[in-house]
Amino acid sequence: MIPFKKTEKREVENAEMQRVYNLIKTPVKVGAILKFEEDLCDSPSVFRHGEKWYMSFIKIGKDTANSGYDSHLAESEDLVHWNYLGKTLTRTEGNAWDSKQIALYAGFVQNELSGEYRLTKVNGKYYFPYLGGNLNGYETDPLTMGLAYTETPEEISSYKKFPEPFLRPTDADARKGETLTLYKSNFFIDSAKTTGYPYVNAYNAKAENHKESIFLAVSKDGERWERYGESAIVKDETPDQSKQIIGDPVILKDGNLYVMIYFVLQNGKTYNTFACSYDLITWTHWDGEPLIKSEYEWENVYAHKTAFVRANGVSYHYYCAVNDKGERFIALAKSEKEEL
């Protein structure tokens, strides 16, 4: 574990927080953009590659007790209409550490807030971190971090896995709050080397009390990772279970400001919100209207998790919608109205 660097612990000014909110707010709900009759889908990550947009996402059978995550790919030309391409990585037989859960997320997507969001090669590869597990069920503990790669991300048969996980909840340097399960990785390239390292991973993890917090890891080469900091960068300090989950971070860069979009599960309700930081350690949290929350019948149980793109002056916020009909699918909210 690498200790946090000493910083000024500078808070972000209210005017800056409001400016960022105005850039990333998406009040127009488009609705479902990826939905399946036989499966639940979840956890989108969106990137540009070649002339198209792609979405890596995960599916699980509706009989979740007897299934687990597989990873899939869809493509789009306009960020609104999506064409399903197929499965990139699937569950395997046996008792390997990732034989029952494989949930891929696009790694090292260009993260400038008003940039191109292109998938970026590191070491001649496109990396896709994933959560892996060997038990059936919906995110059954424990889950561990694995790494997949491809040279042609648009080809669903080209994805391959490294044999061993790169971070485990049982590691000797696992911090308080991440000793049960490790969840979604957000790999990004940090040209400023704010942590002292060029590659950063922001992820959520769970402790034995089932609260989830957000942590950082860093890397010199994008493959071998070390934990950064003695504790979580965002966590729930309350003694009860009022905020059970703070998770699924997506970190973007706007000038010298880091913008982290994440979700909160509080008292049985979810919402997506954001925080800003100058040093990746001290975060100022938005206390205004959530970016995403449940508003309609088709998302009346949960509206949470994030993939964010800002293109041609329009913000696109993809998220997971869940309703009381047993549906779980990927929905879209935008910053301006567009006819389907």
Side-chain angles (χ1 to χ4, degrees):
M1 186 269 291
I2 300 166
F4 283 134
K5 289 176 65 176
K6 292 183 178 180
T7 69
E8 297 178 359
K9 296 184 178 180
R10 178 183 170 192
E11 295 287 333
V12 179
E13 301 81 0
N14 289 338
E16 273 290 89
M17 296 296 292
Q18 184 65 54
R19 181 187 66 81
V20 171
Y21 175 73
N22 290 340
L23 280 174
I24 65 175
K25 64 182 179 180
T26 51
V28 180
K29 294 280 182 77
V30 176
I33 50 94
L34 269 181
K35 189 176 184 181
F36 300 88
E37 289 297 323
E38 301 300 323
D39 299 294
L40 311 175
C41 65
D42 206 336
S43 291
S45 54
V46 176
F47 58 92
R48 182 81 169 169
H49 181 68
E51 298 302 314
K52 292 184 179 180
W53 295 93
Y54 293 88
M55 179 186 296
S56 181
F57 66 99
I58 55 185
K59 291 203 298 181
I60 184 172
K62 289 187 176 181
D63 179 14
T64 57
N66 295 299
S67 58
Y69 282 145
D70 293 320
S71 297
H72 300 256
L73 193 69
E75 67 178 5
S76 175
E77 296 185 357
D78 62 4
L79 288 167
V80 177
H81 303 86
W82 290 86
N83 175 46
Y84 174 62
L85 296 177
K87 190 180 298 184
T88 52
L89 282 180
T90 188
R91 304 180 341 139
T92 57
E93 296 299 323
N95 195 34
W97 66 274
D98 60 352
S99 61
K100 299 298 183 183
Q101 309 280 345
I102 298 181
L104 255 63
Y105 313 99
F108 300 128
V109 177
Q110 293 175 342
N111 70 334
E112 293 85 1
L113 181 58
S114 296
E116 296 187 4
Y117 294 85
R118 289 191 174 274
L119 201 61
T120 304
K121 272 187 175 180
V122 174
N123 306 320
K125 305 179 184 73
Y126 297 109
Y127 288 117
F128 285 73
Y130 67 93
L131 65 82
N134 66 355
L135 296 174
N136 283 327
Y138 183 81
E139 298 181 353
T140 307
D141 302 321
L143 298 171
T144 301
M145 285 185 188
L147 190 59
Y149 64 94
T150 178
E151 295 182 10
T152 51
E154 71 278 13
E155 297 178 10
I156 59 175
S157 63
S158 68
Y159 289 70
K160 301 175 182 179
K161 300 183 296 179
F162 287 92
E164 297 295 330
F166 64 87
L167 283 181
R168 303 171 175 86
T170 55
D171 289 336
D173 65 345
R175 295 155 291 194
K176 181 180 179 181
E178 60 168 346
T179 54
L180 183 57
T181 274
L182 307 181
Y183 288 103
K184 179 182 177 180
S185 291
N186 172 220
F187 280 14
F188 64 95
I189 299 172
D190 185 24
S191 58
K193 293 186 178 180
T194 297
T195 63
Y197 290 77
Y199 306 115
V200 180
N201 178 16
Y203 63 93
N204 58 308
K206 183 165 66 178
E208 283 76 6
N209 64 2
H210 289 268
K211 286 194 176 189
E212 294 178 31
S213 305
I214 296 173
F215 295 85
L216 294 181
V218 293
S219 176
K220 292 180 180 179
D221 62 7
E223 289 187 10
R224 290 170 287 272
W225 293 84
E226 297 181 77
R227 288 171 166 86
Y228 178 69
E230 302 86 351
S231 62
I233 56 169
V234 182
K235 57 186 175 181
D236 176 20
E237 301 285 3
T238 59
D240 59 18
Q241 293 291 316
S242 63
K243 291 183 181 177
Q244 294 172 290
I245 297 177
I246 299 174
D248 280 36
V250 173
I251 294 184
L252 306 170
K253 195 76 185 292
D254 186 34
N256 66 339
L257 192 66
Y258 296 92
V259 179
M260 177 167 60
I261 303 175
Y262 62 97
F263 88 88
V264 174
L265 170 63
Q266 183 176 18
N267 297 324
K269 300 293 184 180
T270 60
Y271 59 91
N272 288 354
T273 185
F274 75 99
C276 294
S277 175
Y278 293 110
D279 61 6
L280 289 170
I281 302 169
T282 303
W283 291 88
T284 303
H285 297 271
W286 175 248
D287 60 3
E289 184 70 12
L291 298 174
I292 295 291
K293 63 181 181 180
S294 295
E295 297 178 272
Y296 301 103
E297 285 298 310
W298 49 265
E299 55 176 1
N300 61 2
V301 175
Y302 296 135
H304 64 331
K305 306 183 181 181
T306 290
F308 182 91
V309 167
R310 184 168 170 80
N312 300 317
V314 179
S315 293
Y316 300 81
H317 193 145
Y318 303 89
Y319 64 100
C320 177
V322 183
N323 60 42
D324 58 11
K325 297 179 181 178
E327 297 176 322
R328 177 181 289 261
F329 53 89
I330 295 168
L332 170 64
K334 296 172 68 270
S335 59
E336 65 178 35
K337 189 172 183 180
E338 179 176 322
E339 296 298 327
L340 285 174

